[in-house]
């Protein structure tokens, strides 16, 4: 289907991501949001209810939320593709999404005849797709207001669905709800003021009629929050600051950041959510925000109904390294530890380790063996003079940046991506001004000198045993062009793990051994996280991944491909 | 409230005292102008007998201003009471060390710092910290050296530290914290002295002396949670450092409280000594929290306890 006459695609193409002194902004584009309808009659009526959402992790035919299930396992129970036959996996089709911008999203799939895929990419573009045919049924582009400031690209990482409605965040710190049969706007809610630096890039998640979303803008001196909205009306039910009032000195909290810029994890049994919490502000000058700056750079647990604080855990207290916690938390149930069963919240952070926390209390069960290297870590600031540079690993992108881990119930292992590249930070005073960066220092990428201990590999993809923290295997990945590996992984019930590299290789690993069993090569980087579903009408298992360079550093060339692979069942 | 049950299981008591290197001792002596060669270790008492008073009109004028402007904002009764309570809590730090990792995320360390919080809140209510920012000089090498010199020569301040259980080596360590790291302290700038063009929004940056004291108290409060949550990483060395730096920070707070008490009550300190006590108290709290961060909160694979699970 030709998209050249698709007004929504054209509108997205007209929105230009422009680099400015403080990051990026969007220029051009439509005055009003645009929906282009194609063959919308093909979308079957399916009431996506709470039972379907709660069961999607066990349902091979659906993938109804960003993380694959509320626990964010990113695992499919479809079992057609196995370690024995994955070498026969073939490309079904490549669909050009036509927008040529950030490609970090994970599509969702609503089962039916045909199933319907909802796929998003930057800037705030969504499509409904018949994934059997690779045909677009409607497309939509949100019209961002003038003056949106973005630290790190015009990303949109995915959609949420409930009933007849599909949802995505908007770059101006909003949520838009669309009729999922027609692509027409139902409501838009602004969760914070984009003019002071707030934005939104992640996929929201919906539980029991409430849509959960967070906050971005941690380089602009905002105050981080997590919010619950009525999914039907868009009304804000609660909005909870991530920073506790009694954990900050005076007014330093007001620009203390602690944003929460990836999808929360839902614990249905405990009635709580788990969210990563990003860096404190200003990024690199801790003297104006003394104390641990709890609970920044760590994990936060809140009550689902009220937003009330449950517990927090920090992996880099009083951070001056931009070691956000960004990757979604993974809830791993029933981990057997010395004869007892524990539910663990797994956080894979920029600090270069994986943290296994007791879901009830937030107490650390174990920290993993190192995933990336640790060279000169936590040593430089504030103990050197202004002109000195000490290269350190992990740099500001981590460790694990936002890339979602997956948990494979078949292997019992968690799969994580950590960058491994030397950078320099230096310290300086910097003015706070509404809507502008408030860093207190700056970053040199790459480091002025590479440390001798650095192994030359820019990324590590690794398997971790959550029970013990053992790093079971690790695949060091090099990049000729020094691009970061920027997408997350997918696990399957048959013990496979899929991942896309910055070199354009889409890889199927043996989850137990780390052996590469299958690869498919694209000509641009993969910066997105794959997903999978089984279509009983076609008797095929599909695997989908978006292809194209993205990210705030070392992103590599753009692309605009949705690639879908399949295998007959 | 002090309840020992808030603390953890008894563990082997390890030495919470910090080693002072010869290089630090030499640097301290040099900073304070005690340049003659001596075979003896450089200590507080040793320096008090070797260095000469050096009258500082700047410290004197600042002290006079503080006394004049702030005396009425302070409640001597509250300050004395909480200062005495703080002294009692500092003396109980060995019990905190003895009990090891806290049993829960709130407890031992939080209790130690309680009187400190009440002192802090009383000072904050009267905008005491704002006035200090306006009155005291910024940390510069010269100001730091004069502060350290005045501190070591002020018998009432030395005696106050003796009273709360600081021995000679711990007092010397405090002095080193003040005198030996001018560059580090210089990065902590009074909110009203951040230069034009590189200025933070001073409405949201608390005054320097408030950041130092409030930060120290937040770090101590955070210790219960940090040690309890990270028990699998915590070593005896980390616990030693936690107690040692807590003592350092509370020692600094005690110096500040002593000066505030003096302003509000007896007036035994000279104006110069008042300035030195506030500056030294803040400097010690700053250095203490930065050292605590690096030795207790930043736990690497080299400094963590070996895993029992792998």
């Amino acid at each position: 289907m030709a998209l050249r006459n698709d007004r929504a695609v054209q509108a997205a193409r007209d929105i230009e991501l422009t680099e400015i002194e403080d990051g990026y902004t969007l220029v051009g584009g439509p005055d009003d949001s645009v929906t282009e309808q194609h063959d919308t009659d093909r979308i079957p009526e399916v009431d996506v209810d709470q039972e379907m959402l709660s069961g999607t992790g066990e349902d091979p035919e659906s993938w109804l939320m960003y993380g694959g299930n509320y626990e964010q396992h990113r695992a499919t129970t479809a079992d057609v593709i196995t370690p024995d036959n994955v070498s026969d996996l073939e490309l079904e089709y490549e669909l050009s999404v036509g927008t040529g911008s950030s490609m970090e999203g994970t599509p969702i799939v609503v089962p039916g005849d045909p199933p319907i895929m909802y796929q998003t990419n930057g800037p705030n573009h969504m499509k409904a797709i018949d994934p059997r045919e690779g045909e677009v049924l409607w497309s939509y582009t949100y019209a961002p207001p003038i003056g949106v400031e973005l630290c790190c690209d015009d990303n949109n990482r995915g959609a949420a669905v409930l009933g007849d409605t599909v949802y995505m965040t908007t770059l101006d710190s909003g949520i838009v709800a669309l009729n999922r049969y027609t692509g027409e706007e139902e409501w838009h809610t602004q969760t914070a003021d984009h003019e002071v630096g707030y934005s939104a890039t992640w996929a929201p998640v919906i539980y029991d009629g409430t849509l959960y979303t967070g906050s971005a803008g941690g380089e602009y001196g905002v105050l981080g929050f997590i919010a619950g909205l009525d999914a039907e009306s868009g009304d804000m039910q609660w909005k909870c600051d991530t920073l506790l009032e009694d954990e900050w000195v005076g007014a330093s909290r007001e620009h203390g950041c602690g944003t929460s810029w990836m999808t929360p994890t839902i614990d249905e049994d405990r009635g709580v959510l788990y969210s990563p919490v990003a860096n404190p502000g200003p990024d690199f000058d801790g003297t104006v925000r003394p104390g641990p700056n709890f609970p920044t750079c760590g994990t936060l647990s809140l009550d689902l109904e009220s937003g009330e604080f449950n517990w927090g855990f920090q992996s880099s207290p009083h951070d001056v390294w931009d070691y956000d916690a960004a990757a979604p938390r993974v809830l791993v149930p029933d981990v057997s530890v010395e004869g007892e069963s524990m539910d663990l919240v797994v956080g894979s952070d920029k600090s270069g380790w994986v943290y296994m926390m007791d879901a009830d209390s937030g107490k650390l069960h174990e920290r993993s063996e190192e995933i990336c290297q640790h060279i000169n870590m936590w040593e430089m600031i504030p103990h050197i003079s202004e002109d000195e540079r000490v290269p350190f690993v992990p740099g500001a992108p981590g460790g694990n940046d936002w890339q979602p881990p997956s948990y494979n119930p078949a292997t019992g292992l968690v799969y994580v991506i950590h960058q491994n590249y030397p950078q320099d930070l230096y310290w300086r005073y910097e003015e706070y001004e509404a809507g502008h960066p408030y860093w207190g220092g700056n970053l040199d990428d790459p480091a002025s000198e590479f440390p001798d201990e650095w192994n030359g590999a820019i990324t590590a993809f690794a398997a971790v045993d959550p029970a013990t923290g053992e790093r079971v295997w690790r695949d060091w990945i090099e990049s000729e062009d020094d691009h970061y590996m920027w997408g997350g992984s997918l696990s399957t019930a048959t013990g496979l793990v899929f991942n896309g590299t910055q070199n354009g290789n889409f890889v199927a690993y043996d989850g137990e051994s780390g052996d590469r069993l299958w690869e498919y090569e694209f000509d641009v980087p993969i910066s997105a996280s794959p997903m999978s579903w089984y279509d009983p009408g076609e008797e095929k298992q599909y695997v989908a991944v978006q292809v194209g360079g993205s990210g705030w550093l070392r992103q590599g060339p753009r692309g605009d491909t949705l690639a879908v692979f399949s295998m007959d069942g | 409230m002090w309840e020992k049950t808030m603390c953890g299981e008894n563990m082997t008591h390890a030495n919470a005292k910090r080693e002072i290197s010869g290089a630090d001792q030499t640097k301290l002596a040099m900073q304070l102008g005690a340049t003659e060669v001596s075979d003896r270790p450089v200590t507080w008492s040793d320096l008090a007998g070797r260095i000469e008073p050096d009258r500082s009109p700047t410290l004197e004028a600042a002290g006079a201003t503080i006394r004049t402007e702030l005396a009425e904002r302070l409640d001597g009764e509250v300050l004395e009471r909480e200062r005495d309570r703080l002294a009692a809590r500092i003396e109980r730090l060995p019990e905190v060390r003895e009990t090891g990792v806290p049993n829960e995320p709130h407890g031992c360390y939080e209790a130690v710092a309680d009187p400190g919080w009440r002192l802090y809140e009383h000072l904050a209510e009267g905008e005491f910290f704002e006035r200090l920012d306006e009155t005291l000089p910024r940390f510069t090498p010269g100001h730091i050296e004069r502060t350290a010199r005045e501190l070591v020569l002020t018998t009432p301040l030395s005696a106050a530290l003796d009273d709360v259980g600081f021995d000679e080596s711990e007092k010397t360590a405090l002095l080193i914290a003040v005198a030996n790291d001018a560059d580090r302290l210089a990065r902590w700038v009074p909110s009203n002295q951040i230069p034009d063009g590189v200025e933070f929004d001073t409405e949201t940056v608390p005054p320097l002396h408030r950041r130092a004291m409030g930060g120290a108290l937040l770090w101590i409060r955070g210790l219960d949670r940090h040690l309890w949550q990270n028990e699998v990483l915590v070593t005896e060395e980390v616990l030693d450092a936690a107690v040692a730096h807590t003592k350092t920070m509370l020692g600094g707070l005690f110096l500040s409280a002593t000066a505030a008490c003096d302003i509000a009550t007896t007036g035994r300190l000279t104006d110069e000594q008042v300035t030195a006590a506030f500056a030294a108290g803040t400097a010690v709290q700053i250095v203490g929290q930065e050292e605590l961060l690096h030795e207790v909160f930043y736990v690497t694979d080299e400094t963590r306890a070996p895993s029992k699970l792998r």
Side-chain angles (χ1 to χ4, degrees), chain A residues 166-467:
Chain A
V166 65
Y167 308 79
M168 72 171 169
T169 56
T170 57
L171 288 163
D172 55 354
S173 190
I175 298 282
V176 66
L178 307 176
N179 181 309
R180 74 179 187 88
Y181 301 111
T182 65
E184 292 166 323
E185 241 181 63
E186 294 186 343
W187 53 257
H188 177 267
T189 294
Q190 198 80 33
T191 59
D193 183 359
H194 72 83
E195 291 189 356
V196 299
Y198 285 102
S199 59
T201 56
W202 52 92
V205 62
I206 298 168
Y207 175 73
D208 199 18
T210 298
L211 179 147
Y212 297 92
T213 188
S215 47
E219 274 65 53
Y220 300 93
V222 302
L223 175 57
F225 65 87
I226 296 174
L229 279 63
D230 183 314
E232 192 171 328
S233 66
D235 293 343
M236 191 93 75
Q237 294 176 328
W238 54 260
K239 184 176 179 182
C240 174
D241 296 337
T242 58
L243 307 184
L244 307 184
E245 291 194 9
D246 62 354
E247 291 283 351
W248 291 69
V249 174
S252 62
R253 174 179 173 274
E254 289 180 25
H255 299 295
C257 297
T259 56
S260 170
W261 55 273
M262 281 300 285
T263 308
T265 303
I266 306 294
D267 186 334
E268 293 181 90
D269 292 340
R270 291 176 178 79
V272 299
L273 63 79
Y274 310 105
S275 174
V277 185
N279 56 280
D283 286 48
F284 305 134
D285 179 6
T287 70
V288 300
R289 48 167 174 83
N293 304 137
F294 185 79
T296 56
C297 294
T299 302
L300 179 63
S301 174
L302 301 179
D303 183 88
L304 280 172
E305 287 191 11
S306 65
E308 187 182 345
F309 174 79
N310 184 32
W311 56 256
F313 176 92
Q314 292 184 281
S315 51
S316 185
H318 188 78
D319 182 77
V320 289
W321 312 89
D322 200 23
Y323 285 155
D324 318 36
R329 311 292 88 172
V330 182
L331 177 59
V332 182
D334 303 323
V335 178
S336 178
V337 179
E338 296 176 334
E340 293 191 10
S341 178
M342 290 183 75
D343 293 350
L344 296 175
V345 177
V346 178
S348 183
D349 289 345
K350 280 188 178 180
S351 60
W353 291 287
V354 181
Y355 301 80
M356 276 65 68
M357 295 156 278
D358 175 39
D360 286 319
S361 66
K363 185 168 185 170
L364 184 68
H365 163 65
E366 186 50 277
R367 188 175 79 182
S368 74
E369 297 178 89
E370 70 174 13
I371 307 301
C372 62
Q373 292 183 277
H374 289 83
I375 303 169
N376 298 327
M377 186 186 186
W378 283 330
E379 287 182 7
M380 188 189 76
I381 293 174
H383 299 295
I384 65 164
S385 64
E386 194 141 354
D387 296 329
E388 284 183 77
R389 299 283 187 276
V390 177
F392 64 96
V393 179
N400 201 143
D401 202 291
W402 64 271
Q403 296 76 28
S406 67
Y407 167 67
N408 195 319
T411 63
L413 303 178
V414 175
Y415 301 89
V416 297
I417 291 154
H418 283 222
Q419 315 306 332
N420 187 64
Y421 199 62
Q423 293 187 328
D424 290 343
L425 280 180
Y426 59 92
W427 193 96
R428 72 179 186 212
Y429 292 116
E430 197 153 14
E431 185 175 5
Y432 174 78
E433 188 179 340
H436 290 79
Y438 181 45
W439 291 359
N442 216 334
L443 174 75
D444 278 349
D445 176 89
S448 49
E449 290 182 18
F450 283 19
D452 292 341
E453 306 95 307
W454 184 54
N455 66 8
I458 195 168
T459 306
F461 181 48
V464 174
D465 182 347

Side-chain angles (χ1 to χ4, degrees), chain A residues 246-252 254-255 282 285 287-292 294 312-314 316-321 337-338 353 361-370 378-379 381-386 427 429-432 438 467-470, chain B residues 101-102 117 120 138 181 183-184 186-189 194-195 197-201 203-206 210-212 214-216 218-219 221-222 225-233 289-291 293-294 297-301 304 306-310:
Chain A
D246 62 354
E247 291 283 351
W248 291 69
V249 174
S252 62
E254 289 180 25
H255 299 295
D285 179 6
T287 70
V288 300
R289 48 167 174 83
F294 185 79
F313 176 92
Q314 292 184 281
S316 185
H318 188 78
D319 182 77
V320 289
W321 312 89
V337 179
E338 296 176 334
W353 291 287
S361 66
K363 185 168 185 170
L364 184 68
H365 163 65
E366 186 50 277
R367 188 175 79 182
S368 74
E369 297 178 89
E370 70 174 13
W378 283 330
E379 287 182 7
I381 293 174
H383 299 295
I384 65 164
S385 64
E386 194 141 354
W427 193 96
Y429 292 116
E430 197 153 14
E431 185 175 5
Y432 174 78
Y438 181 45
T468 64
E470 179 189 356
Chain B
V101 175
W117 279 108
Y120 167 81
R138 180 176 171 171
D181 221 333
D183 285 347
R184 183 196 304 197
R187 296 195 184 284
W188 288 66
V189 178
I194 295 172
V198 288
E199 184 175 282
F200 296 106
D201 177 356
E203 288 183 9
T204 63
V205 177
R210 182 171 182 180
R211 277 181 271 147
L218 284 175
W219 281 111
R221 174 189 285 170
R225 177 180 60 233
H226 172 74
L227 295 172
W228 176 80
Q229 285 187 326
N230 291 281
E231 185 171 9
V232 295
L233 307 179
Q289 61 192 273
E290 292 193 341
E291 290 298 309
L293 168 64
H294 281 259
F297 281 79
Y298 286 165
V299 184
T300 65
D301 279 350
R304 69 160 288 177
S307 172
K308 295 175 180 172
L309 297 170
R310 58 176 187 263

Side-chain angles (χ1 to χ4, degrees), chain A residues 147-160:
Chain A
V148 170
E149 292 205 50
L150 307 166
C151 69
C152 314
D153 213 339
D154 60 3
N155 309 308
N156 189 282
R157 302 196 179 94

Side-chain angles (χ1 to χ4, degrees), chain A residues 61-137:
Chain A
E61 298 175 23
S62 73
W63 187 288
L64 294 178
M65 59 193 71
Y66 178 72
N69 62 1
Y70 283 131
E71 295 86 354
Q72 304 230 45
H73 290 172
R74 307 189 76 80
T76 179
T77 53
D79 58 3
V80 174
I81 308 167
T82 71
D84 291 335
N85 66 17
V86 68
S87 58
D88 298 329
L89 185 64
E90 291 186 349
L91 183 71
E92 177 89 12
Y93 56 83
E94 290 187 50
L95 170 66
S96 170
V97 300
T99 52
S101 197
S102 165
M103 293 288 279
E104 295 187 359
T106 299
I108 60 174
V109 167
V110 177
D113 187 17
I116 300 298
M117 171 186 285
Y118 297 94
Q119 176 268 332
T120 75
N121 52 262
N124 282 147
H125 183 77
M126 187 189 293
K127 287 183 172 71
I129 296 168
D130 175 349
R132 287 179 181 165
E133 308 298 333
E135 292 180 350
V136 177
L137 307 179

Side-chain angles (χ1 to χ4, degrees), chain B residues 17 54 78 83 136 140 184 186 189 214 222 249 271 273 310:
Chain B
K17 290 191 190 306
D54 179 16
V78 170
R83 178 178 170 276
L136 292 181
T140 60
R184 183 196 304 197
V189 178
M249 289 186 285
D271 292 341
Q273 289 167 343
R310 58 176 187 263

